[in-house]
Amino acid sequence: MTSPPEEIIVECPNCKRWYEAWHRPSINRLIDNFSDEFIEKASTAICPYCNCKAALGIWLTNSVEQITIRVPQARFRRKSDRPLYALTLDHIDPTCRLSIMEVIRSITNLGLSDVKELLEHLPQILIEDRDQKKLESLKTTLEAAGAQVTIDYSSNQ
């Protein structure tokens, strides 16, 4: 049986921005006579920001013996699923480095050398969580210490 279309949220593999699209995870050509053009449209998404075409993957049955599985190249999730948010450390005020390191250590339980390494390669995701309010609280704490942080959809959906 052909699966119904699903509304999804896709991360563009090129520009890493999230956008809405639709997808059919499976099509059975023994039951539904969809054209190749429709199958291509049902199993890919085009980023509205950079026009990158991303394969979403599909399970395609042409006959009893012939099944084709196309592997997805883009990350995506159902629109109805709760999103996973990421707290990203973008920049720090060098004069506040020690206080920011203390806050990061208390939030992440990382060791001192790991925190130093993290600060040398910004931006870095500090925490991923489904609770956006929890991340907002941590963002406020980090900003008070002198860091610039953002909260966005996680790339690890």
Side-chain angles (χ1 to χ4, degrees):
M1 182 169 157
T2 299
S3 61
E6 298 178 350
E7 291 183 338
I8 59 173
I9 307 289
V10 180
E11 180 188 28
C12 176
N14 184 43
C15 71
K16 305 297 183 201
R17 295 177 73 180
W18 291 87
Y19 60 94
E20 294 182 8
W22 68 276
H23 173 241
R24 280 190 191 257
S26 65
I27 293 179
N28 185 341
R29 291 183 98 174
L30 295 172
I31 298 170
D32 299 307
N33 192 19
F34 291 120
S35 68
D36 289 339
E37 182 180 323
F38 178 83
I39 292 169
E40 179 71 15
K41 185 175 181 182
S43 65
T44 58
I46 298 175
C47 177
Y49 306 106
C50 70
N51 291 321
C52 174
K53 186 176 187 178
L56 302 175
I58 193 168
W59 177 280
L60 183 63
T61 305
N62 289 321
S63 67
V64 177
E65 302 88 25
Q66 186 182 12
I67 297 173
T68 304
I69 300 172
R70 296 182 190 164
V71 179
Q73 81 179 119
R75 297 176 200 250
F76 64 94
R77 65 172 179 81
R78 288 187 186 104
K79 190 174 177 183
S80 60
D81 292 346
R82 275 185 68 206
L84 184 66
Y85 293 96
L87 178 70
T88 304
L89 179 62
D90 297 315
H91 182 73
I92 65 165
D93 180 351
T95 62
C96 303
R97 184 177 177 91
L98 290 177
S99 61
I100 293 169
M101 288 175 66
E102 289 176 17
V103 173
I104 292 171
R105 288 188 70 196
S106 69
I107 291 172
T108 63
N109 295 321
L110 291 173
L112 183 60
S113 61
D114 293 329
V115 173
K116 285 181 180 179
E117 177 72 20
L118 183 138
L119 293 178
E120 291 176 12
H121 300 95
L122 296 180
Q124 288 284 336
I125 294 176
L126 291 180
I127 297 176
E128 293 177 307
D129 200 326
R130 297 203 183 279
D131 186 358
Q132 189 176 10
K133 289 183 181 182
K134 176 182 171 185
L135 295 183
E136 290 287 349
S137 171
L138 296 173
K139 177 182 178 183
T140 302
T141 304
L142 282 162
E143 288 177 338
Q148 292 179 1
V149 294
T150 56
I151 296 174
D152 202 356
Y153 285 128
S154 172
S155 58
N156 294 324
Q157 294 288 325

